[in-house]
């Protein structure tokens, strides 16, 4: 077993002393291993980046001309005295958990994850380990997601009803992951899908990687909404109520997020409809993932950390809270999944 902890938690982020690298650091470091492209996990300014091939194009799109190397899922590489491999997290396309082994001791950093396949992201793969660093964005029993097909039916019924009422449905979703997942759930027989530039640009990056995403029409200053009857507009949450949105006249607003499970959040978001769907694990998903690792030590980050760690401790795990600068669905309107 490793003489020192495999990973430590520093002011710059999660650090591996044996390998001399950080995982999803939030301040500039020499070498960053990155789980996925959301802005709270993939920050600018690092000397070198390592991510999966599927995450790479989004990282370059968002961060520019970075020094980026690729790590295939499951491929083990030695970095210093550590053995490192990336494994599917199921959060968004290309997202990964990172397994670090030092002296026979294995730690896994989950990044963000969900355990139920969405048909677009690489499905979550449990990784056996001694210590597991787990998000708990939705670490309360109240958070339990309905099947994706049921949510798709709700959204498509709302779309059709809005059009019948003479209003344009405008659906808010994060530009990376959630928006593309929703695209695969929408019924094209109702009408076309118009996209905000932030959504369209990210969708174009993923399309170029071969992801089978439906046709969309980018909203430009020249676009006439009347020329696209029956359309649904897909935009980031920050676009709701903006000058950009007012061009569509009478609208019906919807918000797709796990936080729509809470009435108070639905009221604050001021959307006409809330659709409960998330790219993070729900309560059963968190528990099933943790059990599948076989880990005795669980570090919980961002979310309901105190409640979740207390519950884990009562159930027999050695649980601790790790303060991080990772966000969640409420904290990064343009990105977090």
């Amino acid at each position: 077993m490793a003489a020192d902890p495999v990973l430590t938690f520093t002011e710059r982020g999660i650090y591996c002393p044996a390998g001399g690298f950080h995982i999803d650091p939030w301040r500039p470091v020499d070498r960053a291993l990155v789980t996925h492209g959301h802005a709270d996990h993939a920050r600018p300014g690092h000397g070198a980046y390592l991510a999966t091939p599927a995450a790479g194009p989004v990282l370059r799109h968002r961060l520019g001309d970075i020094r980026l190397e690729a790590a295939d899922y499951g491929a083990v590489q030695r970095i210093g005295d550590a053995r490192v491999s990336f494994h599917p997290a199921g959060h968004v396309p290309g997202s990964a958990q990172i397994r670090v082994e030092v002296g026979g001791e294995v730690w896994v950093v989950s990044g963000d994850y969900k355990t139920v396949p969405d048909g677009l992201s690489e499905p979550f793969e449990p990784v056996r380990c001694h210590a597991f660093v787990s998000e708990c964005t939705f670490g309360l029993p109240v958070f339990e997601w309905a099947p994706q097909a049921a949510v798709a039916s709700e959204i498509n019924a709302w779309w059709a009803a809005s059009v019948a009422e003479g209003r344009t449905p405008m659906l808010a979703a994060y530009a990376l992951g959630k928006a593309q997942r929703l695209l695969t759930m929408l019924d094209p027989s109702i009408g076309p899908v118009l996209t905000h530039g932030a959504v369209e640009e990210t969708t174009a990056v993923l399309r170029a990687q071969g992801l089978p995403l439906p046709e969309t029409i980018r909203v430009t200053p020249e676009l006439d909404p009347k020329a696209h009857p029956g359309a649904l507009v897909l935009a980031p949450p920050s676009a709701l109520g903006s000058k950009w949105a007012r061009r569509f006249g009478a609208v019906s607003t919807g918000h797709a997020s796990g936080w729509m499970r809470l009435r108070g959040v639905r009221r604050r978001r001021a959307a006409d409809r809330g659709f409960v769907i998330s790219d993070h694990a729900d309560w059963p998903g968190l528990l099933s993932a943790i059990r599948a690792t076989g880990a005795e030590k669980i570090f919980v980050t961002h979310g309901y950390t105190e409640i979740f760690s207390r519950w884990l401790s009562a159930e027999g795990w050695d649980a601790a809270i790790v303060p991080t600068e990772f966000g969640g669905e409420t904290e990064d309107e343009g990105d977090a999944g």
Side-chain angles (χ1 to χ4, degrees), residues 83-165:
R83 289 167 53 84
V84 175
S85 55
F86 286 58
H87 303 267
H91 177 55
V92 298
S95 63
Q97 307 168 80
I98 299 178
R99 179 187 187 275
V100 183
E101 180 178 350
V102 178
E105 185 171 351
V106 177
W107 289 36
V108 171
V109 178
S110 68
D112 291 332
Y113 65 94
K114 67 176 180 289
T115 56
V116 178
D118 61 14
L120 194 63
S121 307
E122 301 84 354
F124 177 85
E125 174 188 296
V127 181
R128 301 287 292 183
C129 57
H130 299 98
F132 185 54
V133 182
S134 175
E135 65 139 311
C136 61
T137 304
F138 293 109
L140 289 179
V142 68
F143 294 111
E144 185 168 353
W145 313 143
Q148 181 166 299
V151 181
S153 295
E154 290 180 19
I155 293 173
N156 288 315
W158 164 75
W159 179 3
S162 298
V163 170
E165 295 166 0

Side-chain angles (χ1 to χ4, degrees), residues 313-327:
S313 296
E315 293 296 312
W317 279 282
D318 181 5
I321 298 170
V322 178
T324 69
E325 293 187 14
F326 304 142

